[in-house]
Amino acid sequence: MSVKSCEKVEKSQVALTIEVGAAEFEAAVEKAYQKMRKKINVPGFRPGKAPRKIIEGMYGAEVFFEEAINIAFPDAYEAAVKEQELQAVGYPAVEMVGECTKEGFTFKATVPVYPEVTLGEYKGLSAPKDEVKVTAADVDERLKQLSDRNTRLVSVEREAKEGDTAVIDFEGFLDGKPFDGGKGENHSLELGSHSFVPGFEEQVVGMKAGDEKDIDITFPEDYHADLAGKAVVFKVKVHEVKEKEVPALDDEFAKDVSEFDTLKELKADLKKKIAEERQKDADRAFEDALMEKVADGITADIPDAMVEAQCRQFLDNFKMQISQQGIPYDQYLKITGMDEAKLLEDAKEPALRQVRMDLAVAAIIKAENIEASDEDVEAEFKKLADQYNMDLEMVKKYLQADQVKDQIVSQKAVAVVVDSATAVKPEKKTAKKVAKKTEEAAEGEEKPAKKPAAKKKTAKKAEAAEGEEKSAEKEAE
């Protein structure tokens, strides 16, 4: 193998012209013969026993060339990439150059490579950071969640009302015939939860144990195609009605649900935990905002292959998430009316942002000569073992040291940005500004000022913002 030329082309790609010589090609042709001979019938010879020269004499010397090219190509390509010290990030586009003869062949491989990255500003940046506050209402809401988790359901001998749970049998009929997925037995249905077809739960209200009833329902137009807009009848039987028995919020409740002896101590602990959670969210949102600035500031000719690979990674992660929720991927596509091509298309924008972020972090690591020592890696292993209450050796079994090292240097790179940054107060819209914008929108402008598209908030950012709107409320004591 010899590299005839190596030139950079657009989108961080390199075009390699590679020649496979006579000796290499002859070896590939022999391998092709050994692979193909059992499938070639030659009169007078048992399958697979015909000599190569006989086969080539019958079918032409080129009979094994196509397979030989397929055999020779991978090794030649990999050797060329290694020789030119290229960091390939995707599969090459390949085309033949000239004819293939017994003397060999030449091909051109255009391969996407890791792009050259120029960092913009990454130190001394500023970004908004929320001030963490916890109100009495926040603590009460957390208490309510604890109360809900410790609420019991007890049977009652009365008609069901909203908020109760009815244990029912049901079966749906369309045009007098049962339909798929329309039957259930001993199903616990919380009335008012809106977990059934609209109009169903409302008609169960008023029924009591032992009652049977036909419930008329018309499915919404946007429901599953087979039932959309159809009128059906559900035959319903109530076995039991249960109501919630809510525990009193007192010292006994605190003892039952926590390690504290009094409700006051429990509230203080909840307030502390909420503050810690919000502080972590605020710190993360601050970090994200800074790193988005860094990622936006880099200059790089990003190859499409990197974005496509990230799209695939997002899709694989999504498949795993819905699988863990017990939803088969094919079923999800059917229910939502989506297809994989649309999912991948929708992933392009966030994938590009992620690629830019990864390139920015890698560039900072290089610029700052950041490394992770063996002691750093060992400390991280111990931290993970403590965090997940696992044996240290078990953690090391599931995580490779190189993975942990990569994570550490990335964290150090982000810390370079965050530690040198300044937090500023988020800009709050005053009532006057909101009124003015509303008035302008109502009047309409012939040439409205363009503004950049807002970046999508992550769920964590949204959570970090929760409760801030209630800043005027009294803080918990």
Side-chain angles (χ1 to χ4, degrees):
M1 183 282 304
S2 62
V3 178
K4 292 301 186 181
S5 67
C6 177
E7 56 180 324
K8 293 181 180 179
V9 294
E10 62 179 6
K11 279 284 186 180
S12 291
Q13 297 181 100
V14 171
L16 293 167
T17 302
I18 304 165
E19 183 180 80
V20 175
E24 293 168 291
F25 188 58
E26 167 57 27
V29 171
E30 178 61 25
K31 287 181 181 179
Y33 159 69
Q34 297 294 339
K35 181 179 178 181
M36 297 173 63
R37 63 181 181 174
K38 290 182 180 180
K39 298 179 182 179
I40 300 176
N41 293 320
V42 178
F45 292 92
R46 286 180 296 160
K49 297 299 182 179
R52 176 179 154 189
K53 292 297 183 183
I54 297 294
I55 296 174
E56 289 176 336
M58 287 184 62
Y59 296 98
E62 301 83 8
V63 63
F64 298 116
F65 279 13
E66 183 176 348
E67 184 62 29
I69 290 171
N70 292 334
I71 291 171
F73 162 73
D75 289 342
Y77 167 71
E78 289 177 17
V81 168
K82 185 176 180 180
E83 178 186 298
Q84 298 299 315
E85 298 181 343
L86 302 178
Q87 190 175 353
V89 294
Y91 296 108
V94 180
E95 59 181 300
M96 293 292 291
V97 178
E99 297 294 325
C100 176
T101 69
K102 65 179 182 178
E103 299 302 320
F105 65 95
T106 300
F107 67 95
K108 181 179 180 181
T110 304
V111 54
V113 297
Y114 195 89
E116 296 179 1
V117 180
T118 303
L119 276 169
E121 294 294 328
Y122 66 95
K123 291 182 180 179
L125 302 175
S126 64
K129 188 173 185 180
D130 290 324
E131 180 183 354
V132 172
K133 294 180 180 179
V134 182
T135 67
D138 297 328
V139 176
D140 288 343
E141 177 60 28
R142 191 64 62 90
L143 268 177
K144 183 179 181 302
Q145 294 171 10
L146 275 175
S147 174
D148 289 343
R149 286 201 294 269
N150 288 274
T151 294
R152 295 191 310 141
L153 290 175
V154 295
S155 292
V156 291
E157 297 297 328
R158 59 166 174 76
E159 294 180 349
K161 60 183 180 180
E162 190 164 317
D164 289 341
T165 294
V167 181
I168 62 172
D169 290 345
F170 63 90
E171 185 170 13
F173 294 83
L174 174 63
D175 297 330
K177 297 179 181 179
F179 56 84
D180 290 341
K183 184 176 182 178
E185 295 181 351
N186 292 312
H187 179 81
S188 293
L189 174 63
E190 182 180 347
L191 304 180
S193 65
H194 306 297
S195 56
F196 261 45
V197 185
F200 185 96
E201 294 171 27
E202 292 83 348
Q203 296 185 62
V204 177
V205 170
M207 298 179 70
K208 60 181 183 295
D211 285 355
E212 296 185 30
K213 183 178 181 180
D214 287 354
I215 292 178
D216 295 320
I217 292 292
T218 299
F219 280 96
E221 294 293 340
D222 58 353
Y223 201 73
H224 189 278
D226 294 340
L227 294 169
K230 300 289 180 63
V232 303
V233 176
F234 280 97
K235 293 186 178 297
V236 178
K237 180 177 180 178
V238 176
H239 292 295
E240 189 178 9
V241 176
K242 300 179 180 180
E243 69 176 4
K244 293 178 180 178
E245 188 175 79
V246 182
L249 297 178
D250 53 20
D251 291 345
E252 288 303 314
F253 173 77
K255 291 176 184 177
D256 289 340
V257 302
S258 71
E259 69 271 29
F260 302 105
D261 293 326
T262 67
L263 185 63
K264 183 177 180 180
E265 290 175 310
L266 175 58
K267 283 186 173 183
D269 182 66
L270 290 175
K271 181 179 180 181
K272 178 184 175 184
K273 286 178 178 175
I274 295 170
E276 289 173 348
E277 291 167 7
R278 290 186 177 175
Q279 188 61 59
K280 285 181 180 178
D281 288 341
D283 290 344
R284 190 178 295 111
F286 178 60
E287 177 184 297
D288 288 347
L290 291 169
M291 292 309 297
E292 282 179 8
K293 284 188 174 184
V294 177
D296 288 343
I298 68 168
T299 301
D301 192 10
I302 300 173
D304 294 337
M306 291 188 77
V307 178
E308 290 165 4
Q310 186 62 58
C311 286
R312 279 285 170 192
Q313 183 62 57
F314 282 161
L315 181 60
D316 289 344
N317 292 344
F318 176 69
K319 288 180 181 179
M320 183 174 66
Q321 288 171 2
I322 64 171
S323 174
Q324 290 172 346
Q325 295 170 16
I327 306 172
Y329 176 62
D330 290 343
Q331 184 179 335
Y332 169 84
L333 294 179
K334 183 178 179 181
I335 292 172
T336 60
M338 297 285 282
D339 58 34
E340 191 161 287
K342 181 66 166 63
L343 290 175
L344 289 170
E345 182 64 29
D346 291 346
K348 279 187 178 180
E349 184 181 340
L352 177 58
R353 289 201 302 270
Q354 185 61 55
V355 169
R356 291 187 68 87
M357 185 72 72
D358 293 343
L359 291 173
V361 170
I364 294 172
I365 292 170
K366 182 178 179 181
E368 298 287 329
N369 295 315
I370 297 173
E371 296 179 346
S373 66
D374 293 340
E375 290 77 14
D376 290 334
V377 174
E378 187 66 21
E380 185 65 18
F381 272 129
K382 289 180 180 178
K383 177 183 172 183
L384 292 169
D386 292 341
Q387 181 178 344
Y388 295 103
N389 196 26
M390 291 176 65
D391 179 73
L392 178 60
E393 294 306 315
M394 187 62 71
V395 174
K396 290 181 178 180
K397 179 180 176 181
Y398 286 108
L399 283 177
Q400 296 181 357
D402 286 344
Q403 291 176 305
V404 174
K405 186 173 288 189
D406 288 344
Q407 184 65 26
I408 292 170
V409 294
S410 294
Q411 290 170 348
K412 288 184 177 183
V414 173
V416 170
V417 177
V418 175
D419 292 346
S420 66
T422 303
V424 297
K425 286 186 177 181
E427 183 180 348
K428 293 185 178 180
K429 293 181 180 179
T430 64
K432 188 175 181 180
K433 284 183 179 179
V434 172
K436 184 178 179 182
K437 285 189 176 181
T438 304
E439 185 180 338
E440 288 175 352
E443 291 176 356
E445 295 181 354
E446 292 183 4
K447 294 182 180 180
K450 291 184 179 179
K451 59 181 181 180
K455 297 184 184 294
K456 293 181 181 178
K457 275 189 177 180
T458 63
K460 291 177 179 176
K461 287 183 181 178
E463 289 169 5
E466 278 185 7
E468 302 306 314
E469 295 175 357
K470 300 178 182 178
S471 59
E473 295 181 25
K474 179 183 176 184
E475 288 192 24
E477 297 178 357

